[in-house]
């Protein structure tokens, strides 16, 4: 079954507990996707460890934390302490990627890896036997409201192919531009976890939006 990971940055921060509780209690979602941006690796600045620690107290959902930061290896232990279940780091931001991923796993978290849309998916081959999740960025990281980059389909297809050929255990995740026009393409290519922000958190209602996305995945 294809799973939806609502992106917390699109939620109502003035009433964040209410939105999280709706996702947890009224939908089939297991994951909350949490984007952390430092204003350097990407232009924008978002939430950090204190916020994640505070919402960890109100939910038992799995925290799928995506670090869009320079030198993420500096913060691995911090994000473990504040409640991350999956910690995803960028190929481009980490000099010693293999070491950083091993560190994540040694602390009991699931290790995720991702790359920018312009970086070839083949660059991740040396760590695919180590990771628990591969995130395909289908937009450039750091901004909302972007259009789906079609080359992302090729990346998903290759990850699905390698997973079958070599027996890898990673989850294939996609983030960016997911809507009624792009979701079926991603699912057909082999994606297993879909990050959705504004498609979940909008005036139509969280429960209804998740159910609609799930229907489109079938």
């Amino acid at each position: 079954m294809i799973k939806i990971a609502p992106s917390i940055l699109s939620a109502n921060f003035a009433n964040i507990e209410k939105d999280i509780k709706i996702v947890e209690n009224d939908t089939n979602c297991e994951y909350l996707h949490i984007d952390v941006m430092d204003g350097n690796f990407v232009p924008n600045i978002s939430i950090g460890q204190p916020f994640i620690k505070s919402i960890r107290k109100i939910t038992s959902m799995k925290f799928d934390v995506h670090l869009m930061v320079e030198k993420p290896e500096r913060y691995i232990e911090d994000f473990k302490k504040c409640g991350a279940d999956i910690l995803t780091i960028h190929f481009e931001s980490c000099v010693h990627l293999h070491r950083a991923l091993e560190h994540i796993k040694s602390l009991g978290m699931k290790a995720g890896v991702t790359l920018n849309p312009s970086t070839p998916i083949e660059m991740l081959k040396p760590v695919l036997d180590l990771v628990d999740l591969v995130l395909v960025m289908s937009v450039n990281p750091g901004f909302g409201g972007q259009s789906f980059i079609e080359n992302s389909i090729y990346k998903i297809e290759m990850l699905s192919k390698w997973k079958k050929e070599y027996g890898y255990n990673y989850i294939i995740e996609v983030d960016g531009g997911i809507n009624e026009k792009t979701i079926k393409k991603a699912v057909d290519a082999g994606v297993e976890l879909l990050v959705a922000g504004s498609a979940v958190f909008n005036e139509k209602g969280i429960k209804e939006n998740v159910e609609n996305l799930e229907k489109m995945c079938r």
Side-chain angles (χ1 to χ4, degrees):
M1 179 180 176
I2 310 302
K3 297 180 180 179
I4 309 297
S7 178
I8 203 72
L9 281 187
S10 295
N12 178 6
F13 274 44
N15 206 345
I16 194 70
E17 183 173 359
K18 179 182 176 183
D19 278 5
I20 290 174
K21 286 300 182 183
I22 293 172
V23 171
E24 183 172 26
N25 297 327
D26 298 343
T27 76
N28 296 318
C29 297
E30 299 176 22
Y31 303 87
L32 278 181
H33 187 81
I34 304 172
D35 287 319
V36 178
M37 311 178 203
D38 66 354
N40 290 302
F41 183 68
V42 293
N44 287 333
I45 297 173
S46 70
I47 56 179
Q49 298 98 313
F51 176 85
I52 297 172
K53 188 175 182 179
S54 69
I55 64 170
R56 178 75 285 172
K57 297 173 184 177
I58 63 169
T59 180
S60 60
M61 294 188 72
K62 296 174 184 175
F63 282 6
D64 172 25
V65 180
H66 173 198
L67 297 188
M68 289 175 266
V69 304
E70 291 184 353
K71 298 180 181 179
E73 61 272 19
R74 295 176 293 170
Y75 306 111
I76 291 171
E77 293 188 15
D78 290 340
F79 281 98
K80 168 62 178 179
K81 290 175 183 176
C82 69
D85 296 293
I86 304 170
L87 197 62
T88 297
I89 58 178
H90 271 258
F91 164 83
E92 300 90 352
S93 69
C94 191
V95 175
H96 300 290
L97 181 61
H98 193 279
R99 181 192 300 166
L101 292 168
E102 285 192 325
H103 189 192
I104 292 170
K105 291 175 75 75
S106 74
L107 295 175
M109 293 180 286
K110 300 291 186 183
V113 68
T114 186
L115 35 67
N116 292 333
S118 61
T119 304
I121 193 66
E122 287 77 11
M123 301 301 289
L124 295 184
K125 278 188 171 182
V127 297
L128 290 180
D129 62 333
L130 176 63
V131 297
D132 303 290
L133 178 145
V134 182
L135 170 58
V136 174
M137 289 302 301
S138 46
V139 296
N140 287 293
F143 296 96
Q146 299 180 68
S147 298
F148 187 89
I149 296 174
E150 289 296 326
N151 182 52
S152 306
I153 296 299
Y154 165 77
K155 291 183 175 182
I156 296 168
E157 289 173 341
M158 293 309 297
L159 288 168
S160 181
K161 177 176 180 285
W162 295 333
K163 185 175 179 177
K164 292 170 185 172
E165 284 185 358
Y166 302 109
Y168 295 138
N169 294 314
Y170 52 73
I171 296 168
I172 304 172
E173 182 178 35
V174 67
D175 183 5
I178 293 298
N179 54 42
E180 64 277 2
K181 295 180 181 178
T182 58
I183 193 168
K184 196 64 170 66
K185 289 192 224 177
V187 170
D188 289 345
V191 79
E192 298 159 303
L193 185 59
L194 288 150
V195 177
S198 57
V200 169
F201 298 105
N202 63 50
E203 67 282 354
K204 293 179 182 178
I206 294 168
K207 181 177 185 293
E208 294 79 5
N209 288 330
V210 170
E211 288 175 349
N212 188 43
L213 289 169
E214 289 173 339
K215 286 177 184 176
M216 288 188 282
C217 291
R218 293 173 193 151

